[in-house]
Amino acid sequence: MNFDMGKLRFFLGNYQFFSLLLFYLYSQAFISSSFTNSLIERPTCSHNESQALLQFKQTLFFDCNASFLCNPNYGIAAFLKTDSWKEDTDCCSWEGVTCDSDTGRVIGLDLSCSWLCGTIPSNSSLFFLQHLKRLNLAFNNFRQSNISAKFGQFPNLTHLNLSNSFSSGQVPSEISHLSKLVSLDLSRFSLPFPSDQEPFNELKLETTTLKRLALNFSRVKELFLDGIDMCSVDHGYLMNLSSSLTSLSLVDCGLNGTISDRIFRFPNLKLLKLGKNPELVVYLPKSNGTSTLEILDLKQTVLVGDLSGSIRGLKSLKSLNLASCDLNGSIPTSLANLSQLVVLELPDNNFSGWIPASFANLTELQHLDLSYNGLEGTIPPFANGLSN
């Protein structure tokens, strides 16, 4: 068979040309499609929600002292977030506002550390934002006003944070209506007050409200109620909280009576803080307690049970605080089994004897406090090996 080399070269040349042409056309079509898609405008904030936000802004005034608890040294800087809220601009671009990418509805509002001062009455335009999923008003000053029952009327809310916003009165039972809630933070710090100022009024939680919270919060994972007056609460209802609970913090709540070791048996619990409740008797878990706990704070409580055996089962602990628990005897050597410990606080107890040599296993330790005990002997040589 004879080949015409000229025709062959012509064919190959045309083949390469058409291949390049097809590739070029395909790439141009792809670029054009991408460019067209980029021109499709995302939905903008609805006029009604924009106006509701602007009205909410106008009902408050701004005081740079209102967010004095926000400390930039801890990554929490206060600034006037609502300064970017302007008429005739898309509220989805405003600081602290998050919109749904498909509908343009306002689904998130984060005004924490925003220098807000004033009150939020039940007729506030804030409650017009019925599509909210996340609401954070922490670290502002709401001037000891009551938490409105209307906060319980956001049907889609999953996260609510009103911590350290200086509210007072009763925690409204309507909060329990937030059946989709995953995280609730109403905590408040205990602060010293200058002699020329009246102390802030307490925020209180009644048994009926706790009962409803435990019944209706079927999805709750985080519950932070530090500093809330719960002295009259039957905390037995805590055992009815969702098994999905990962964090429970009830520091300085005036809790009293006894709390069962069942509190340690939530299968997903990682943080448990019951500290600064000096009249609360805590029954320690058996050695088969939850292994998921990472942070345990029982300072200034009354502990009942075998401390050494309880500790042995909590192998995931990274932080343990048993300060001022009137513990005595030798420091439990089983602490050395907690190889992931970063923080260990055992001050102001009645421990005696030497620091266990087995502490050399705690190589992740960054903070160790054994002060105000009856320890003796020398600082063990292994301390040089605790490089963190």
Side-chain angles (χ1 to χ4, degrees):
M1 181 179 293
N2 296 323
F3 289 93
D4 187 329
M5 296 303 296
K7 289 182 179 180
L8 180 60
R9 283 194 294 270
F10 175 79
F11 173 78
L12 291 175
N14 285 340
Y15 176 80
Q16 292 174 340
F17 171 76
F18 282 113
S19 296
L20 290 172
L21 179 61
L22 287 172
F23 176 78
Y24 172 79
L25 292 174
Y26 174 81
S27 63
Q28 289 300 305
F30 178 80
I31 293 172
S32 176
S33 175
S34 300
F35 179 73
T36 301
N37 289 335
S38 68
L39 292 178
I40 299 175
E41 295 185 0
R42 60 175 176 78
T44 58
C45 177
S46 74
H47 176 74
N48 289 341
E49 290 188 324
S50 177
Q51 290 302 305
L53 287 168
L54 289 173
Q55 290 174 24
F56 178 59
K57 172 184 176 180
Q58 292 168 3
T59 61
L60 300 170
F61 64 94
F62 310 103
D63 181 351
C64 61
N65 293 319
S67 300
F68 71 96
L69 291 172
C70 301
N71 191 330
N73 294 329
Y74 298 102
I76 308 175
F79 64 98
L80 189 57
K81 293 182 180 179
T82 55
D83 195 42
S84 65
W85 295 16
K86 306 293 184 183
E87 191 83 48
D88 298 325
T89 60
D90 181 11
C91 80
C92 295
S93 66
W94 295 350
E95 188 74 41
V97 178
T98 302
C99 293
D100 185 278
S101 58
D102 294 324
T103 65
R105 297 288 189 182
V106 176
I107 58 172
L109 185 61
D110 182 357
L111 293 178
S112 58
C113 296
S114 293
W115 299 344
L116 301 181
C117 196
T119 61
I120 304 178
S122 59
N123 61 352
S124 171
S125 60
L126 172 68
F127 303 117
F128 295 162
L129 305 174
Q130 287 294 291
H131 299 277
L132 277 180
K133 294 182 179 180
R134 291 174 174 261
L135 178 59
N136 188 346
L137 300 176
F139 296 100
N140 292 292
N141 187 352
F142 297 132
R143 308 181 72 185
Q144 304 195 62
S145 60
N146 292 343
I147 298 176
S148 172
K150 286 290 189 69
F151 278 100
Q153 296 183 18
F154 290 108
N156 301 303
L157 207 63
T158 60
H159 293 72
L160 176 60
N161 190 342
L162 302 177
S163 64
N164 299 292
S165 55
F166 302 110
S167 299
S168 62
Q170 298 284 350
V171 175
S173 61
E174 287 80 3
I175 293 290
S176 65
H177 296 166
L178 302 174
S179 59
K180 295 183 180 180
L181 210 62
V182 173
S183 177
L184 175 64
D185 191 345
L186 302 178
S187 57
R188 48 193 286 167
F189 293 150
S190 296
L191 298 169
F193 299 97
S195 57
D196 60 341
Q197 292 186 15
E198 290 292 328
F200 291 108
N201 293 330
E202 293 180 332
L203 186 62
K204 298 181 180 181
L205 180 68
E206 298 293 340
T207 295
T208 53
T209 301
L210 178 61
K211 182 179 179 180
R212 290 175 182 174
L213 295 183
L215 180 64
N216 295 335
F217 283 4
S218 59
R219 305 181 186 183
V220 69
K221 293 183 177 181
E222 301 174 340
L223 191 58
F224 303 99
L225 302 175
D226 301 342
I228 295 179
D229 182 359
M230 298 175 60
C231 64
S232 62
V233 163
D234 180 356
H235 46 68
Y237 288 107
L238 293 170
M239 305 306 165
N240 297 331
L241 286 167
S242 168
S243 60
S244 60
L245 193 69
T246 62
S247 301
L248 177 62
S249 191
L250 303 173
V251 176
D252 193 23
C253 289
L255 296 173
N256 52 68
T258 62
I259 192 163
S260 167
D261 62 354
R262 288 191 297 141
I263 196 71
F264 296 91
R265 297 180 189 171
F266 284 92
N268 299 297
L269 196 62
K270 293 184 177 182
L271 180 149
L272 177 61
K273 291 187 174 184
L274 302 174
K276 299 182 69 175
N277 291 294
E279 297 183 17
L280 180 66
V281 177
V282 180
Y283 279 85
L284 295 172
K286 307 297 182 184
S287 58
N288 62 349
T290 177
S291 61
T292 59
L293 265 180
E294 296 180 1
I295 299 174
L296 178 60
D297 180 356
L298 300 176
K299 64 176 176 286
Q300 296 180 36
T301 61
V302 180
L303 304 183
V304 176
D306 178 14
L307 177 60
S308 180
S310 300
I311 292 171
R312 188 174 291 111
L314 304 177
K315 296 183 179 180
S316 298
L317 276 184
K318 296 180 180 179
S319 177
L320 175 62
N321 191 333
L322 300 178
S324 306
C325 289
D326 199 27
L327 300 172
N328 50 53
S330 301
I331 294 177
T333 57
S334 57
L335 283 168
N337 296 329
L338 308 181
S339 59
Q340 299 185 51
L341 270 184
V342 176
V343 176
L344 176 58
E345 297 185 88
L346 303 174
D348 195 24
N349 283 294
N350 299 308
F351 286 122
S352 59
W354 290 57
I355 298 174
S358 56
F359 270 23
N361 297 331
L362 304 179
T363 56
E364 300 298 318
L365 270 185
Q366 296 181 19
H367 178 85
L368 174 63
D369 189 350
L370 304 175
S371 59
Y372 297 98
N373 280 287
L375 300 176
E376 59 187 51
T378 60
I379 300 296
F382 71 77
N384 292 329
L386 300 178
S387 58
N388 294 319

